[in-house]
Amino acid sequence: MKYIEIKTKDPHFNLAMEEYLLTSCKPEEEYFLLWQNSSSIIIGKHQNTLEEVNARYVEENDIHVVRRMSGGGAVYHDLGNLNYSFIIGNGQQDIFDFKKFALPIAELLQLHGVDAEISGRNDMTIAGKKFSGNAQFMRNRNLLHHGTLLFDSDLSRLEAALNVSGDKIVSKGIKSVRSRVTNIREHLAEPMDIDEFWQKLAAYIASRNDSWEPASLSEEDLAAINRLADEKYRQWEWK
């Protein structure tokens, strides 16, 4: 498994990077990525952008809005949130098993005193509150599984930036977005910042993979990803 640690915080580049690696991934290849975005709302492939965001708040607070390849709901990213991605080449078995990808993260948190649980099909929770949303996307039989990890995000900005539809409030009895989510940091047995958590997560995934190999993007890769970001992810039509 190739591990790539992404330092850019540009959501357009980072989402283009996922697509580029997914498309070019060979059957025997696997990638694990850790990355962050500056303040952003990442929209699911099939969502109506204007219905999901508080447009005035987003504009006034310089929050990026970018559409991703995978389905699912809108999520808020900032530098208190850590994103992870698994990219798996085609021909491998059981790749649609959500728990296969979520379980190592839950296990790591449990080692640090956090009662993390895999909840439903796409979420991970602590005491019933969501800290991770996940989605999957397949292209050419290659699989992308990616998720968010709320570690120390600004939950007031999260709540203000996202809209919750009236239908959802009625059907699920939702009082607010903020009342349903939590940060990992609040539940740790010992203090830790997000950089420490980043390194512990990378080390834990490495310990479970005999073929672990730190890797980097070539200049050719970077140029191709930037082209894709410009031609797709930064375009109004895609957003």
Side-chain angles (χ1 to χ4, degrees), residues 39-64:
S39 295
S40 313
I41 296 176
I42 310 301
I43 302 292
K45 181 179 181 180
H46 304 294
Q47 290 187 297
N48 181 324
T49 304
L50 294 178
E51 289 184 356
E52 298 297 326
V53 305
N54 179 339
R56 182 175 179 178
Y57 183 86
V58 164
E59 183 176 353
E60 290 175 350
N61 290 274
D62 297 320
I63 297 173
H64 299 287

PDB file of all heavy atoms in Angstrom, residues 39-64:
ATOM      1  N   SER A  39     -11.194  25.924   4.812  1.00  0.00           N
ATOM      2  CA  SER A  39     -12.645  25.953   5.035  1.00  0.00           C
ATOM      3  C   SER A  39     -13.418  25.724   3.735  1.00  0.00           C
ATOM      4  O   SER A  39     -13.297  26.503   2.785  1.00  0.00           O
ATOM      5  CB  SER A  39     -13.045  27.290   5.644  1.00  0.00           C
ATOM      6  OG  SER A  39     -12.487  27.439   6.925  1.00  0.00           O
ATOM      7  N   SER A  40     -14.186  24.648   3.718  1.00  0.00           N
ATOM      8  CA  SER A  40     -14.856  24.218   2.496  1.00  0.00           C
ATOM      9  C   SER A  40     -16.139  23.462   2.829  1.00  0.00           C
ATOM     10  O   SER A  40     -16.254  22.842   3.887  1.00  0.00           O
ATOM     11  CB  SER A  40     -13.966  23.261   1.678  1.00  0.00           C
ATOM     12  OG  SER A  40     -12.648  23.722   1.546  1.00  0.00           O
ATOM     13  N   ILE A  41     -17.067  23.503   1.899  1.00  0.00           N
ATOM     14  CA  ILE A  41     -18.179  22.562   1.902  1.00  0.00           C
ATOM     15  C   ILE A  41     -18.002  21.675   0.685  1.00  0.00           C
ATOM     16  O   ILE A  41     -17.849  22.168  -0.441  1.00  0.00           O
ATOM     17  CB  ILE A  41     -19.544  23.268   1.856  1.00  0.00           C
ATOM     18  CG1 ILE A  41     -19.759  24.093   3.117  1.00  0.00           C
ATOM     19  CG2 ILE A  41     -20.666  22.240   1.708  1.00  0.00           C
ATOM     20  CD1 ILE A  41     -21.039  24.892   3.107  1.00  0.00           C
ATOM     21  N   ILE A  42     -17.987  20.371   0.911  1.00  0.00           N
ATOM     22  CA  ILE A  42     -17.814  19.401  -0.163  1.00  0.00           C
ATOM     23  C   ILE A  42     -19.177  18.747  -0.429  1.00  0.00           C
ATOM     24  O   ILE A  42     -19.742  18.097   0.454  1.00  0.00           O
ATOM     25  CB  ILE A  42     -16.753  18.347   0.191  1.00  0.00           C
ATOM     26  CG1 ILE A  42     -15.466  19.031   0.681  1.00  0.00           C
ATOM     27  CG2 ILE A  42     -16.487  17.451  -1.007  1.00  0.00           C
ATOM     28  CD1 ILE A  42     -14.822  19.983  -0.315  1.00  0.00           C
ATOM     29  N   ILE A  43     -19.665  18.953  -1.629  1.00  0.00           N
ATOM     30  CA  ILE A  43     -21.010  18.541  -2.017  1.00  0.00           C
ATOM     31  C   ILE A  43     -20.978  17.155  -2.663  1.00  0.00           C
ATOM     32  O   ILE A  43     -20.085  16.855  -3.458  1.00  0.00           O
ATOM     33  CB  ILE A  43     -21.600  19.555  -3.024  1.00  0.00           C
ATOM     34  CG1 ILE A  43     -21.637  20.955  -2.414  1.00  0.00           C
ATOM     35  CG2 ILE A  43     -22.979  19.143  -3.508  1.00  0.00           C
ATOM     36  CD1 ILE A  43     -22.598  21.108  -1.290  1.00  0.00           C
ATOM     37  N   GLY A  44     -21.961  16.320  -2.342  1.00  0.00           N
ATOM     38  CA  GLY A  44     -22.082  15.023  -2.998  1.00  0.00           C
ATOM     39  C   GLY A  44     -22.413  15.171  -4.476  1.00  0.00           C
ATOM     40  O   GLY A  44     -22.977  16.181  -4.907  1.00  0.00           O
ATOM     41  N   LYS A  45     -22.064  14.171  -5.239  1.00  0.00           N
ATOM     42  CA  LYS A  45     -22.177  14.230  -6.703  1.00  0.00           C
ATOM     43  C   LYS A  45     -23.580  14.607  -7.175  1.00  0.00           C
ATOM     44  O   LYS A  45     -23.744  15.338  -8.157  1.00  0.00           O
ATOM     45  CB  LYS A  45     -21.774  12.883  -7.299  1.00  0.00           C
ATOM     46  CG  LYS A  45     -21.831  12.841  -8.820  1.00  0.00           C
ATOM     47  CD  LYS A  45     -21.390  11.497  -9.345  1.00  0.00           C
ATOM     48  CE  LYS A  45     -21.438  11.472 -10.877  1.00  0.00           C
ATOM     49  NZ  LYS A  45     -21.008  10.150 -11.409  1.00  0.00           N
ATOM     50  N   HIS A  46     -24.613  14.131  -6.489  1.00  0.00           N
ATOM     51  CA  HIS A  46     -25.980  14.302  -6.984  1.00  0.00           C
ATOM     52  C   HIS A  46     -26.750  15.411  -6.277  1.00  0.00           C
ATOM     53  O   HIS A  46     -27.947  15.576  -6.512  1.00  0.00           O
ATOM     54  CB  HIS A  46     -26.737  12.980  -6.841  1.00  0.00           C
ATOM     55  CG  HIS A  46     -26.058  11.834  -7.532  1.00  0.00           C
ATOM     56  ND1 HIS A  46     -25.913  11.762  -8.897  1.00  0.00           N
ATOM     57  CD2 HIS A  46     -25.453  10.718  -7.030  1.00  0.00           C
ATOM     58  CE1 HIS A  46     -25.263  10.652  -9.219  1.00  0.00           C
ATOM     59  NE2 HIS A  46     -24.974  10.006  -8.101  1.00  0.00           N
ATOM     60  N   GLN A  47     -26.084  16.183  -5.431  1.00  0.00           N
ATOM     61  CA  GLN A  47     -26.808  17.176  -4.640  1.00  0.00           C
ATOM     62  C   GLN A  47     -26.999  18.496  -5.381  1.00  0.00           C
ATOM     63  O   GLN A  47     -26.220  18.850  -6.277  1.00  0.00           O
ATOM     64  CB  GLN A  47     -26.056  17.445  -3.329  1.00  0.00           C
ATOM     65  CG  GLN A  47     -26.094  16.285  -2.351  1.00  0.00           C
ATOM     66  CD  GLN A  47     -25.488  16.664  -1.022  1.00  0.00           C
ATOM     67  OE1 GLN A  47     -24.305  16.975  -0.946  1.00  0.00           O
ATOM     68  NE2 GLN A  47     -26.293  16.653   0.025  1.00  0.00           N
ATOM     69  N   ASN A  48     -28.045  19.217  -4.973  1.00  0.00           N
ATOM     70  CA  ASN A  48     -28.287  20.572  -5.444  1.00  0.00           C
ATOM     71  C   ASN A  48     -27.494  21.521  -4.544  1.00  0.00           C
ATOM     72  O   ASN A  48     -27.828  21.687  -3.371  1.00  0.00           O
ATOM     73  CB  ASN A  48     -29.788  20.892  -5.386  1.00  0.00           C
ATOM     74  CG  ASN A  48     -30.111  22.285  -5.894  1.00  0.00           C
ATOM     75  OD1 ASN A  48     -29.363  23.231  -5.689  1.00  0.00           O
ATOM     76  ND2 ASN A  48     -31.247  22.419  -6.553  1.00  0.00           N
ATOM     77  N   THR A  49     -26.473  22.124  -5.091  1.00  0.00           N
ATOM     78  CA  THR A  49     -25.553  22.930  -4.280  1.00  0.00           C
ATOM     79  C   THR A  49     -26.272  24.019  -3.503  1.00  0.00           C
ATOM     80  O   THR A  49     -26.050  24.206  -2.299  1.00  0.00           O
ATOM     81  CB  THR A  49     -24.474  23.564  -5.185  1.00  0.00           C
ATOM     82  OG1 THR A  49     -23.813  22.528  -5.904  1.00  0.00           O
ATOM     83  CG2 THR A  49     -23.461  24.334  -4.357  1.00  0.00           C
ATOM     84  N   LEU A  50     -27.152  24.757  -4.165  1.00  0.00           N
ATOM     85  CA  LEU A  50     -27.793  25.900  -3.522  1.00  0.00           C
ATOM     86  C   LEU A  50     -28.717  25.489  -2.381  1.00  0.00           C
ATOM     87  O   LEU A  50     -28.970  26.277  -1.471  1.00  0.00           O
ATOM     88  CB  LEU A  50     -28.568  26.718  -4.562  1.00  0.00           C
ATOM     89  CG  LEU A  50     -27.688  27.391  -5.622  1.00  0.00           C
ATOM     90  CD1 LEU A  50     -28.551  28.142  -6.634  1.00  0.00           C
ATOM     91  CD2 LEU A  50     -26.692  28.341  -4.975  1.00  0.00           C
ATOM     92  N   GLU A  51     -29.213  24.260  -2.411  1.00  0.00           N
ATOM     93  CA  GLU A  51     -30.060  23.781  -1.320  1.00  0.00           C
ATOM     94  C   GLU A  51     -29.246  23.342  -0.113  1.00  0.00           C
ATOM     95  O   GLU A  51     -29.767  23.289   1.004  1.00  0.00           O
ATOM     96  CB  GLU A  51     -30.938  22.621  -1.788  1.00  0.00           C
ATOM     97  CG  GLU A  51     -32.048  23.030  -2.748  1.00  0.00           C
ATOM     98  CD  GLU A  51     -32.938  21.860  -3.109  1.00  0.00           C
ATOM     99  OE1 GLU A  51     -32.644  20.724  -2.670  1.00  0.00           O
ATOM    100  OE2 GLU A  51     -33.920  22.063  -3.845  1.00  0.00           O
ATOM    101  N   GLU A  52     -27.985  23.008  -0.319  1.00  0.00           N
ATOM    102  CA  GLU A  52     -27.175  22.419   0.751  1.00  0.00           C
ATOM    103  C   GLU A  52     -26.376  23.447   1.547  1.00  0.00           C
ATOM    104  O   GLU A  52     -25.922  23.142   2.645  1.00  0.00           O
ATOM    105  CB  GLU A  52     -26.216  21.375   0.159  1.00  0.00           C
ATOM    106  CG  GLU A  52     -26.899  20.203  -0.524  1.00  0.00           C
ATOM    107  CD  GLU A  52     -27.739  19.377   0.438  1.00  0.00           C
ATOM    108  OE1 GLU A  52     -27.353  19.256   1.613  1.00  0.00           O
ATOM    109  OE2 GLU A  52     -28.792  18.877   0.009  1.00  0.00           O
ATOM    110  N   VAL A  53     -26.172  24.641   0.980  1.00  0.00           N
ATOM    111  CA  VAL A  53     -25.293  25.605   1.639  1.00  0.00           C
ATOM    112  C   VAL A  53     -26.045  26.886   1.982  1.00  0.00           C
ATOM    113  O   VAL A  53     -27.030  27.249   1.332  1.00  0.00           O
ATOM    114  CB  VAL A  53     -24.063  25.949   0.758  1.00  0.00           C
ATOM    115  CG1 VAL A  53     -23.308  24.690   0.372  1.00  0.00           C
ATOM    116  CG2 VAL A  53     -24.463  26.732  -0.478  1.00  0.00           C
ATOM    117  N   ASN A  54     -25.587  27.544   3.014  1.00  0.00           N
ATOM    118  CA  ASN A  54     -26.036  28.885   3.359  1.00  0.00           C
ATOM    119  C   ASN A  54     -25.191  29.840   2.524  1.00  0.00           C
ATOM    120  O   ASN A  54     -24.084  30.225   2.916  1.00  0.00           O
ATOM    121  CB  ASN A  54     -25.836  29.138   4.853  1.00  0.00           C
ATOM    122  CG  ASN A  54     -26.269  30.517   5.289  1.00  0.00           C
ATOM    123  OD1 ASN A  54     -26.362  31.439   4.491  1.00  0.00           O
ATOM    124  ND2 ASN A  54     -26.518  30.666   6.586  1.00  0.00           N
ATOM    125  N   ALA A  55     -25.698  30.190   1.341  1.00  0.00           N
ATOM    126  CA  ALA A  55     -24.884  30.889   0.342  1.00  0.00           C
ATOM    127  C   ALA A  55     -24.327  32.204   0.868  1.00  0.00           C
ATOM    128  O   ALA A  55     -23.159  32.541   0.614  1.00  0.00           O
ATOM    129  CB  ALA A  55     -25.715  31.114  -0.918  1.00  0.00           C
ATOM    130  N   ARG A  56     -25.124  32.954   1.604  1.00  0.00           N
ATOM    131  CA  ARG A  56     -24.654  34.245   2.107  1.00  0.00           C
ATOM    132  C   ARG A  56     -23.514  34.050   3.104  1.00  0.00           C
ATOM    133  O   ARG A  56     -22.490  34.733   3.025  1.00  0.00           O
ATOM    134  CB  ARG A  56     -25.811  34.993   2.762  1.00  0.00           C
ATOM    135  CG  ARG A  56     -25.419  36.370   3.283  1.00  0.00           C
ATOM    136  CD  ARG A  56     -26.634  37.121   3.808  1.00  0.00           C
ATOM    137  NE  ARG A  56     -26.251  38.424   4.331  1.00  0.00           N
ATOM    138  CZ  ARG A  56     -27.124  39.309   4.811  1.00  0.00           C
ATOM    139  NH1 ARG A  56     -28.423  39.018   4.815  1.00  0.00           N
ATOM    140  NH2 ARG A  56     -26.705  40.463   5.277  1.00  0.00           N
ATOM    141  N   TYR A  57     -23.687  33.117   4.026  1.00  0.00           N
ATOM    142  CA  TYR A  57     -22.652  32.869   5.026  1.00  0.00           C
ATOM    143  C   TYR A  57     -21.364  32.376   4.356  1.00  0.00           C
ATOM    144  O   TYR A  57     -20.259  32.796   4.716  1.00  0.00           O
ATOM    145  CB  TYR A  57     -23.142  31.844   6.042  1.00  0.00           C
ATOM    146  CG  TYR A  57     -22.163  31.581   7.168  1.00  0.00           C
ATOM    147  CD1 TYR A  57     -22.150  32.390   8.299  1.00  0.00           C
ATOM    148  CD2 TYR A  57     -21.239  30.537   7.091  1.00  0.00           C
ATOM    149  CE1 TYR A  57     -21.244  32.168   9.330  1.00  0.00           C
ATOM    150  CE2 TYR A  57     -20.334  30.307   8.109  1.00  0.00           C
ATOM    151  CZ  TYR A  57     -20.334  31.121   9.227  1.00  0.00           C
ATOM    152  OH  TYR A  57     -19.428  30.903  10.235  1.00  0.00           O
ATOM    153  N   VAL A  58     -21.509  31.479   3.394  1.00  0.00           N
ATOM    154  CA  VAL A  58     -20.358  30.919   2.688  1.00  0.00           C
ATOM    155  C   VAL A  58     -19.573  32.018   1.977  1.00  0.00           C
ATOM    156  O   VAL A  58     -18.336  32.070   2.043  1.00  0.00           O
ATOM    157  CB  VAL A  58     -20.834  29.841   1.697  1.00  0.00           C
ATOM    158  CG1 VAL A  58     -19.755  29.520   0.669  1.00  0.00           C
ATOM    159  CG2 VAL A  58     -21.236  28.576   2.442  1.00  0.00           C
ATOM    160  N   GLU A  59     -20.289  32.914   1.310  1.00  0.00           N
ATOM    161  CA  GLU A  59     -19.615  33.993   0.590  1.00  0.00           C
ATOM    162  C   GLU A  59     -18.939  34.964   1.547  1.00  0.00           C
ATOM    163  O   GLU A  59     -17.786  35.376   1.327  1.00  0.00           O
ATOM    164  CB  GLU A  59     -20.630  34.736  -0.280  1.00  0.00           C
ATOM    165  CG  GLU A  59     -20.013  35.831  -1.128  1.00  0.00           C
ATOM    166  CD  GLU A  59     -21.011  36.481  -2.059  1.00  0.00           C
ATOM    167  OE1 GLU A  59     -22.162  35.996  -2.138  1.00  0.00           O
ATOM    168  OE2 GLU A  59     -20.642  37.479  -2.708  1.00  0.00           O
ATOM    169  N   GLU A  60     -19.620  35.326   2.615  1.00  0.00           N
ATOM    170  CA  GLU A  60     -19.072  36.296   3.566  1.00  0.00           C
ATOM    171  C   GLU A  60     -17.857  35.757   4.315  1.00  0.00           C
ATOM    172  O   GLU A  60     -17.013  36.531   4.782  1.00  0.00           O
ATOM    173  CB  GLU A  60     -20.151  36.712   4.565  1.00  0.00           C
ATOM    174  CG  GLU A  60     -21.257  37.571   3.958  1.00  0.00           C
ATOM    175  CD  GLU A  60     -22.371  37.871   4.944  1.00  0.00           C
ATOM    176  OE1 GLU A  60     -22.369  37.247   6.041  1.00  0.00           O
ATOM    177  OE2 GLU A  60     -23.234  38.715   4.630  1.00  0.00           O
ATOM    178  N   ASN A  61     -17.754  34.435   4.434  1.00  0.00           N
ATOM    179  CA  ASN A  61     -16.679  33.823   5.217  1.00  0.00           C
ATOM    180  C   ASN A  61     -15.644  33.093   4.367  1.00  0.00           C
ATOM    181  O   ASN A  61     -14.836  32.330   4.896  1.00  0.00           O
ATOM    182  CB  ASN A  61     -17.282  32.879   6.262  1.00  0.00           C
ATOM    183  CG  ASN A  61     -18.003  33.629   7.360  1.00  0.00           C
ATOM    184  OD1 ASN A  61     -17.399  34.047   8.334  1.00  0.00           O
ATOM    185  ND2 ASN A  61     -19.304  33.809   7.199  1.00  0.00           N
ATOM    186  N   ASP A  62     -15.666  33.352   3.056  1.00  0.00           N
ATOM    187  CA  ASP A  62     -14.653  32.795   2.139  1.00  0.00           C
ATOM    188  C   ASP A  62     -14.530  31.281   2.257  1.00  0.00           C
ATOM    189  O   ASP A  62     -13.426  30.723   2.356  1.00  0.00           O
ATOM    190  CB  ASP A  62     -13.290  33.443   2.393  1.00  0.00           C
ATOM    191  CG  ASP A  62     -13.298  34.940   2.126  1.00  0.00           C
ATOM    192  OD1 ASP A  62     -13.925  35.355   1.136  1.00  0.00           O
ATOM    193  OD2 ASP A  62     -12.694  35.686   2.917  1.00  0.00           O
ATOM    194  N   ILE A  63     -15.672  30.613   2.263  1.00  0.00           N
ATOM    195  CA  ILE A  63     -15.702  29.155   2.341  1.00  0.00           C
ATOM    196  C   ILE A  63     -15.851  28.595   0.926  1.00  0.00           C
ATOM    197  O   ILE A  63     -16.776  28.959   0.196  1.00  0.00           O
ATOM    198  CB  ILE A  63     -16.863  28.674   3.237  1.00  0.00           C
ATOM    199  CG1 ILE A  63     -16.650  29.185   4.671  1.00  0.00           C
ATOM    200  CG2 ILE A  63     -16.972  27.152   3.217  1.00  0.00           C
ATOM    201  CD1 ILE A  63     -17.823  28.910   5.598  1.00  0.00           C
ATOM    202  N   HIS A  64     -14.938  27.728   0.541  1.00  0.00           N
ATOM    203  CA  HIS A  64     -15.019  27.102  -0.781  1.00  0.00           C
ATOM    204  C   HIS A  64     -16.219  26.146  -0.834  1.00  0.00           C
ATOM    205  O   HIS A  64     -16.561  25.515   0.173  1.00  0.00           O
ATOM    206  CB  HIS A  64     -13.756  26.287  -1.076  1.00  0.00           C
ATOM    207  CG  HIS A  64     -12.494  27.085  -1.093  1.00  0.00           C
ATOM    208  ND1 HIS A  64     -12.159  27.941  -2.107  1.00  0.00           N
ATOM    209  CD2 HIS A  64     -11.466  27.150  -0.198  1.00  0.00           C
ATOM    210  CE1 HIS A  64     -10.991  28.496  -1.860  1.00  0.00           C
ATOM    211  NE2 HIS A  64     -10.546  28.038  -0.700  1.00  0.00           N
TER     212      HIS A  64
END
